[in-house]
Amino acid sequence: MDRTPLLPDDREIISTEVSQCLNPDCLQINLGDLDLCHNCQEKILLANRYRGLSYIGAGGFSYTFKAIDEHRFQTPCVIKQFVSRQLNPASKQQAIDLFQQEAAILKNLGNHPQIPDLLAFFNYKQRLYLVQEFISGQNLLEILNQQGRFSQEQVKQILIDILPVLEFIHQRQVIHRDLKPSNIIRKDDGTLVLIDFGSSFQFSQEFLTQIKVISATPGYAAPEQIKGKPIPASDLFGLGATALHLITGVMPSERGIDLASTSLDLIWQKAEVVPNREFNYIISKLLQPKVSDRYQSALEVIQDLKKLPSPLESTPGKNNVSTQSVNSNTLILTGTIEEKESFDCSKLEQFLANQDYLAADRETWQLLLHIADRTVQGCLTLSSILELPASALQQIDRLWQKYSNGKFGLSIQKEIYQNIATNFQGDYLIWQKFAEKVGWYQRSTWLKYSDLTFALQGKKGHLPACCIDIFSRHNLDRGGSTWWRLGFIALLDKLEQN
């Protein structure tokens, strides 16, 4: 599934019945796709390309507009315009630096499926503009207001889906600084997207010692962030406050959440919520005022969430996956993943028997999507990986081992990874050493999918490679990001489960 097709889906093309003037002193709505604003006579098309459609809102020192890119078949996008009214020179320069930093951060974060893409950044008529991908869907605050409080199980899934994004940006020395329900959008396909990097900054050891602009939403910000000293764990506090808001339906007080003076048990009691004990522990640890008492990384939170029963309100074991063997290559799946039609491995076995390893790798990916009920979306989320039945993965693994004489397979990769993990420290270093061992990382370069060896001559554990990074299959330079390491390791962990 190519994320950047030549022609966009028909649902992504927007007709222009109105045109929004982008002159900050006008902001007039014009009927039709005019060339000039009928009020101020300024050109409607920004940089002769982007047509504003409607005003979304203002935040910090910017206006935000929904727009279309007329050079890309009217593909929707979002325009952020820097506005510096009534700022003294020093404050204006500081605001400009923050606006430019947002663009630089989005560029450095690259093409991540849960972060809006940066499409353009430029100066036009002495005004700064940032153009980014438009995310269709509703933010979690809107969903909360429409549907009411979220269940603990729903919030657990939100945490599992968004924590890898935080780990991804933290690995790239980025702190979001504004985690809250309105900055997480649920797309139409259910994927969660983290938006609004306007308060974010790129940190370094030297930068952490400098005085920074205090940027925070009252109620969601960690104590150290309010003091102007944010760290990656500050984002985890914001995520904890977001989870608490979604479960209780009560927006955090502007004074913030202070578990030192008000116990979490009292907050649950007032909201008439009876939390699962382990879940209560996770939320409490996310919201600890002292950094040393809080989770230190998103990975730590994910590990604790994986231990929780699913669903949280039920007794352990209720949702265990059961399987019924039909023949050597077919399984009927019920349980955690909804009851499905037969899971057919015959095509995979045929490809492997013929040593057509490229076709086998692609078929493995399609089988995983089918089992996870993610064929339409074309991608796996961490939560969907955690729900995959071990029996299906074991069946796929046995076929890979059988037709490669024990050279390829998920269990082969798991053994190699575990051996490396005992000799090295540091998550990324282990991942890189593993990639070197199986041949995905060579001469200080992460190989593109087309550069892999789809033959028995490949290194032991070289295949299957369909899950290392789904976008590398289209030869995009993304590297061995933490995001895909998490998914891959979660997949390997499922092999030994019953």
Side-chain angles (χ1 to χ4, degrees), residues 428 432-433 435-436 440-447 479-480:
Y428 185 78
Q432 182 175 299
K433 292 295 183 182
E436 287 178 354
W440 298 345
Y441 183 79
Q442 299 179 20
R443 293 182 288 277
S444 302
T445 302
W446 288 90
L447 298 189

Side-chain angles (χ1 to χ4, degrees), residues 10 30 118 124 132-133 208 255 272 331 375 476 479:
D10 289 342
N30 297 267
L118 176 70
Y124 184 73
Q132 63 187 97
E133 175 188 10
L208 284 172
R255 296 190 301 273
E272 298 182 346
L331 294 174
T375 300
L476 299 178

Side-chain angles (χ1 to χ4, degrees), residues 338-404:
E338 294 180 3
E339 190 168 343
K340 311 176 72 63
E341 297 177 355
S342 62
F343 160 48
D344 188 358
C345 284
S346 58
K347 288 177 64 177
L348 174 61
E349 182 169 26
Q350 181 180 354
F351 291 138
L352 288 170
N354 294 333
Q355 294 191 2
D356 188 349
Y357 290 111
L358 176 58
D361 199 67
R362 290 172 173 169
E363 177 64 14
T364 299
W365 177 246
Q366 292 303 318
L367 287 173
L368 292 175
L369 291 178
H370 171 72
I371 299 167
D373 199 20
R374 300 277 301 178
T375 300
V376 174
Q377 292 86 347
C379 65
L380 294 176
T381 62
L382 186 60
S383 59
S384 65
I385 291 173
L386 294 175
E387 293 292 317
L388 288 171
S391 54
L393 297 179
Q394 291 162 1
Q395 179 76 356
I396 291 171
D397 179 54
R398 282 194 293 269
L399 290 174
W400 272 97
Q401 287 196 66
K402 175 182 177 180
Y403 289 99
S404 66

Side-chain angles (χ1 to χ4, degrees), residues 317 319-323 334-336 386-394 398 414 492-498:
N319 276 354
N320 287 342
V321 175
S322 61
T323 62
T334 61
T336 303
L386 294 175
E387 293 292 317
L388 288 171
S391 54
L393 297 179
Q394 291 162 1
R398 282 194 293 269
K414 181 169 185 175
L492 298 188
D493 285 343
K494 295 291 296 184
L495 280 173
E496 294 182 357
Q497 298 181 15
N498 295 319

Side-chain angles (χ1 to χ4, degrees), residues 7 29 80 119 121 212 223 256 326:
L7 288 171
I29 293 291
K80 291 187 73 170
L119 303 178
F121 181 70
K212 295 171 282 295
V326 177

Side-chain angles (χ1 to χ4, degrees), residues 25-70:
D25 297 318
C26 178
L27 300 181
Q28 185 74 34
I29 293 291
N30 297 267
L31 296 178
D33 55 349
L34 305 180
D35 294 327
L36 299 176
C37 172
H38 65 73
N39 183 54
C40 69
Q41 297 302 302
E42 185 161 315
K43 288 183 65 175
I44 290 291
L45 280 186
L46 174 62
N48 297 315
R49 176 170 184 169
Y50 304 103
R51 181 180 297 276
L53 299 181
S54 61
Y55 171 80
I56 296 177
F61 307 105
S62 64
Y63 289 153
T64 306
F65 306 90
K66 186 175 180 180
I68 55 171
D69 183 350
E70 295 200 345

